[in-house]
Amino acid sequence: MTQSDISSESAALRDKRRAAWAGVFLNAPLAGAKIIVGLVTQSQALVADGVHSLSDLMSDAAVIWALGHSHRPPDADHPFGHGRFETLATLAIAAMLALAAASILIDAGARLLSPPDGAPGLLALCVAGLSIALKEALYHYTKAVARRTGSAMMAANAWHHRSDAATSVVALAGIGAAMLGALWADALGAAIIALMLGRVAWVYGRPAIHELVDTAPSEEVATRITGALMATPGLRDAHDLRLRHMSGSIQADVHIALDPAMTLSEAHRLSEAARANVLAALPEVNEIIIHPEPDGHADGPAAHKAALRPELAQVVRDCLDGIVPAGAIRHLRLDYRDEGVIAVVELRETPVSGAQMRIAFRLQQAKSDLSEIRLLWAPAS
């Protein structure tokens, strides 16, 4: 991560914290004022609106908690980072929205069945109007921060602020209608707004649930990633691509097929090139883990069941014993193919005549996972 990226991330975190604390400083006194004035003026709508403002205060607290955790770097307990703390907070906010919607809907139904006897006073009307103005301004501020930082959590919290403004509209309409004699109008408006809030809770809660249960992104994203991988020279195939969301970004892992004769260092270099291609082509992907494998020889028994180097190296030594001096062996390379494991022995000197045939005969008697032992040597300079 460059210094510019770090500075941008710090600025985004600072903006989100400011928006969250602005909500705390506004919601705390506003909730208290609405509840107290509602009790004094006997306005049930304003008291309910004040309770909803308290849920906004809880939402802001959840956001501040998430911001204190989600931007921490990966550690031993969270090797993939802490981004899902923000997702968890988004889900909590969506749940609060859903509960607020249910509460408003139940209260609206009760008021439709049993309208209040009297109307509140002008003070309750003024407090509801002030609440609308303040909460709508806070909604636009928080929404702008969400858009600038790409944070679903801040967007959900912005809608929670707007939901409070909406309930204040309901309270205002209820108080005004009660003062004019139409006591049923505010309850009907409350029911409509409750359904709207339920939809907002679903819009923001559903993606959070999908992320927490590792639901894959759209097929279009997978197609773009595969295209970026296949643009890498030397890459023969890409398969077993797996994707998941992580706090607004995407993480992936994939298997790529390479030339079986390719060296490990070249395979690593090609894998890094493929990874860079994906990250450059898809900014929404912040990590991709690449598993290189030999083309056409990744799923056979040799790849999963054949013996490992210590056992096979001993078989090679037994087959070469007395034919090739131990000091003449420079390097042993094992090539795991579907038809068996090929051992390639690099020598420092030319082997004796007939060495290859004698070694092949011994290998037949050994009955190991080795299918062939090849001798390679360079002529003396």
PDB file of all heavy atoms in Angstrom, residues 20 77 182 223 280 285 323:
ATOM      1  N   ALA A  20     -20.268  10.101  12.470  1.00  0.00           N
ATOM      2  CA  ALA A  20     -20.852   9.310  13.554  1.00  0.00           C
ATOM      3  C   ALA A  20     -20.985  10.140  14.831  1.00  0.00           C
ATOM      4  O   ALA A  20     -22.021  10.099  15.512  1.00  0.00           O
ATOM      5  CB  ALA A  20     -20.005   8.070  13.808  1.00  0.00           C
ATOM      6  N   ASP A  77      -5.287 -13.117  15.239  1.00  0.00           N
ATOM      7  CA  ASP A  77      -6.665 -13.573  15.416  1.00  0.00           C
ATOM      8  C   ASP A  77      -7.545 -13.263  14.211  1.00  0.00           C
ATOM      9  O   ASP A  77      -8.589 -13.897  14.022  1.00  0.00           O
ATOM     10  CB  ASP A  77      -7.284 -12.932  16.665  1.00  0.00           C
ATOM     11  CG  ASP A  77      -6.623 -13.435  17.947  1.00  0.00           C
ATOM     12  OD1 ASP A  77      -6.186 -14.600  17.960  1.00  0.00           O
ATOM     13  OD2 ASP A  77      -6.542 -12.660  18.912  1.00  0.00           O
ATOM     14  N   ALA A 182     -58.690  15.868  12.488  1.00  0.00           N
ATOM     15  CA  ALA A 182     -58.584  14.603  11.726  1.00  0.00           C
ATOM     16  C   ALA A 182     -57.566  13.703  12.425  1.00  0.00           C
ATOM     17  O   ALA A 182     -56.390  13.640  12.036  1.00  0.00           O
ATOM     18  CB  ALA A 182     -58.179  14.884  10.286  1.00  0.00           C
ATOM     19  N   THR A 223     -16.362 -13.366 -14.476  1.00  0.00           N
ATOM     20  CA  THR A 223     -15.948 -13.338 -15.879  1.00  0.00           C
ATOM     21  C   THR A 223     -14.827 -12.338 -16.106  1.00  0.00           C
ATOM     22  O   THR A 223     -13.857 -12.617 -16.829  1.00  0.00           O
ATOM     23  CB  THR A 223     -17.154 -12.991 -16.772  1.00  0.00           C
ATOM     24  OG1 THR A 223     -18.183 -13.965 -16.583  1.00  0.00           O
ATOM     25  CG2 THR A 223     -16.757 -12.958 -18.235  1.00  0.00           C
ATOM     26  N   ALA A 280      -5.133  -4.701 -11.163  1.00  0.00           N
ATOM     27  CA  ALA A 280      -5.147  -3.496 -11.996  1.00  0.00           C
ATOM     28  C   ALA A 280      -6.459  -3.359 -12.758  1.00  0.00           C
ATOM     29  O   ALA A 280      -6.970  -2.245 -12.934  1.00  0.00           O
ATOM     30  CB  ALA A 280      -3.974  -3.527 -12.977  1.00  0.00           C
ATOM     31  N   VAL A 285     -11.422  -5.545  -6.358  1.00  0.00           N
ATOM     32  CA  VAL A 285     -10.743  -6.727  -5.810  1.00  0.00           C
ATOM     33  C   VAL A 285      -9.518  -6.259  -5.034  1.00  0.00           C
ATOM     34  O   VAL A 285      -8.618  -5.647  -5.606  1.00  0.00           O
ATOM     35  CB  VAL A 285     -10.325  -7.705  -6.923  1.00  0.00           C
ATOM     36  CG1 VAL A 285      -9.562  -8.893  -6.343  1.00  0.00           C
ATOM     37  CG2 VAL A 285     -11.543  -8.199  -7.689  1.00  0.00           C
ATOM     38  N   ILE A 323      26.365 -47.668  -9.671  1.00  0.00           N
ATOM     39  CA  ILE A 323      26.357 -47.308 -11.095  1.00  0.00           C
ATOM     40  C   ILE A 323      26.812 -45.863 -11.273  1.00  0.00           C
ATOM     41  O   ILE A 323      27.637 -45.552 -12.148  1.00  0.00           O
ATOM     42  CB  ILE A 323      24.947 -47.496 -11.696  1.00  0.00           C
ATOM     43  CG1 ILE A 323      24.485 -48.951 -11.537  1.00  0.00           C
ATOM     44  CG2 ILE A 323      24.917 -47.087 -13.170  1.00  0.00           C
ATOM     45  CD1 ILE A 323      23.052 -49.195 -11.978  1.00  0.00           C
TER      46      ILE A 323
END
